[in-house]
Amino acid sequence: MRAVMILLLAGLVSACSHPRQEVTGQLTHQVLLPAHQQWHDSNAALLVATQGYCASELDLAALKQSFYRSLQGWAHLQPLMIGPLAEGNRSWQVQFWPDKRNLVARQVEALLDAASSLDQQALENGSVVVQGLSAFEYVVFDDSVDLEKQSERYCPLLTGIARHQVALSAQVLSLWEGPDGMTAMLTTFPNARFANVDEALGSILRTQITAVDTLKKKLGVPMGRLNKGVPQPWQAEAWRSQHSISNLQASLSGARAVWERVRSLVGDTQLVTRIDAAYENTAQKLAGLSEPLVLLVQHKDNQLRLQSLYDSLDNLETLQQIELARDLGIQLGFNANDGD
């Protein structure tokens, strides 16, 4: 028995002394799992706020603040959504973007027109377009909706969306738990998902770098990079709530949280300095944008600042996708966004 205990302890010491396994463990327990828990907590708070507003116990300003927190939690989580949230179409149930054909408004109104009294099951049977924060944002912020005068029409939908988000985030969290959960997959090797720690670390980095590429898209699409330079302000993420810049900041902070754990593994100190500088440069450029993106892209005077931010994100992505991956000796492999 004593010999077995010594072997078990030796194994634990060996695992803890493996730098990559130690970093992957830190990422799992200190970054990834807490971000999922915070997202769930913000969803639970949104449900309470929605029920309070619909019962005339909270005002619209309080409901909007709760929505902002939920949206921020989701934006921060996007560079970290390895595993369950990235699978089974779950992320689309949280946010529908880009909405090139105004599907959110059209499908919300069609759903409410079709149901004399919307119940949870009708929402669950509906499209992902009407189940997430994009639909919630439309009802609360769109100029065409007078929520305070039409609460009887819209409150069942708002409450249904908030319930759906709580159930979704609870389901995702449950998939992180247990011997076959995502937490175990990222910390004990080999397993059904990862043969070794390098595969797990590579998967985390792939998720994070893909999110940086998505940030470029979220900036580039409203700038008009896919439309011959003609701005598309209504393609900005969260344009109705004018929360695009805050979303970009929250997502950048999520990506940076991964980098700050991984940097100890990098052998090239100059590369560490360059990636640190790239994050700081991008964060400062975002902090310098005081207006919502939907407004910024409509004025030519802002083009140079937005292009500079885009270039900064592009540099950050390249440094991590090529130089960081090479330094770590990890094959990443990507399905890049659609050309932006």
Side-chain angles (χ1 to χ4, degrees), residues 38-327:
Q38 289 167 10
W39 170 56
H40 176 65
D41 292 345
S42 67
N43 286 337
L46 180 63
L47 176 57
V48 172
T50 304
Q51 291 170 325
Y53 173 78
C54 290
S56 301
E57 296 169 354
L58 287 178
D59 61 17
L60 186 56
L63 180 62
K64 288 181 177 179
Q65 286 302 315
S66 188
F67 169 79
Y68 289 144
R69 286 192 287 273
S70 195
L71 191 61
Q72 289 287 95
W74 165 242
H76 179 79
L77 183 58
Q78 287 180 59
L80 313 173
M81 59 176 193
I82 182 174
L85 184 53
E87 300 163 352
N89 220 20
R90 294 188 178 96
S91 66
W92 282 103
Q93 297 177 48
V94 183
Q95 184 185 38
F96 184 77
W97 184 88
D99 183 7
K100 297 179 180 179
R101 299 177 181 174
N102 200 24
L103 283 179
V104 171
R106 288 163 51 193
Q107 291 201 14
V108 163
E109 296 301 336
L111 177 68
L112 294 175
D113 287 343
S116 56
S117 179
L118 184 70
D119 59 23
Q120 192 68 34
Q121 193 57 50
L123 180 68
E124 301 299 335
N125 292 339
S127 160
V128 295
V129 175
V130 301
Q131 294 174 339
L133 297 179
S134 300
F136 199 100
E137 180 192 35
Y138 161 73
V139 172
V140 175
F141 292 92
D142 197 274
D143 290 341
S144 68
V145 177
D146 189 338
L147 179 58
E148 297 198 283
K149 290 185 178 178
Q150 297 178 288
S151 60
E152 190 173 335
R153 173 178 171 83
Y154 289 107
C155 267
L157 176 64
L158 291 178
T159 306
I161 291 172
R163 284 201 184 102
H164 185 84
Q165 295 303 304
V166 171
L168 178 63
S169 52
Q171 179 196 36
V172 170
L173 271 178
S174 73
L175 293 171
W176 277 77
E177 299 168 348
D180 297 323
M182 198 64 200
T183 300
M185 296 291 177
L186 288 170
T187 53
T188 305
F189 309 100
N191 57 61
R193 187 181 289 254
F194 303 116
N196 52 52
V197 67
D198 280 3
E199 287 190 5
L201 184 60
S203 189
I204 294 171
L205 287 173
R206 191 179 304 113
T207 300
Q208 182 241 30
I209 297 170
T210 298
V212 174
D213 189 56
T214 301
L215 289 182
K216 288 168 52 185
K217 183 177 182 181
K218 290 181 177 179
L219 180 64
V221 168
M223 285 173 63
R225 291 182 63 89
L226 299 179
N227 193 36
K228 298 180 180 179
V230 178
Q232 298 178 284
W234 318 120
Q235 294 301 311
E237 181 190 33
W239 65 267
R240 288 185 171 95
S241 60
Q242 302 193 346
H243 223 56
S244 304
I245 299 298
S246 298
N247 276 11
L248 294 177
Q249 290 173 317
S251 291
L252 185 70
S253 75
R256 197 171 189 170
V258 172
W259 161 243
E260 287 175 349
R261 265 68 176 188
V262 170
R263 67 200 300 280
S264 66
L265 300 174
V266 181
D268 184 342
T269 56
Q270 291 187 354
L271 177 59
V272 171
T273 301
R274 291 165 64 202
I275 296 178
D276 279 343
Y279 270 107
E280 187 59 28
N281 182 266
T282 305
Q284 289 183 5
K285 283 181 166 57
L286 274 169
L289 299 176
S290 57
E291 294 181 277
L293 190 56
V294 64
L295 300 179
L296 286 170
V297 298
Q298 297 185 58
H299 299 284
K300 290 184 179 179
D301 293 347
N302 297 318
Q303 285 184 353
L304 285 179
R305 285 196 298 161
L306 294 173
Q307 183 60 48
S308 178
L309 172 60
Y310 186 92
D311 292 342
S312 184
L313 284 167
D314 190 51
N315 177 52
L316 178 59
E317 180 189 13
T318 301
L319 282 172
Q320 294 190 124
Q321 183 174 340
I322 298 176
E323 298 192 43
L324 175 61
R326 182 190 301 138
D327 186 280

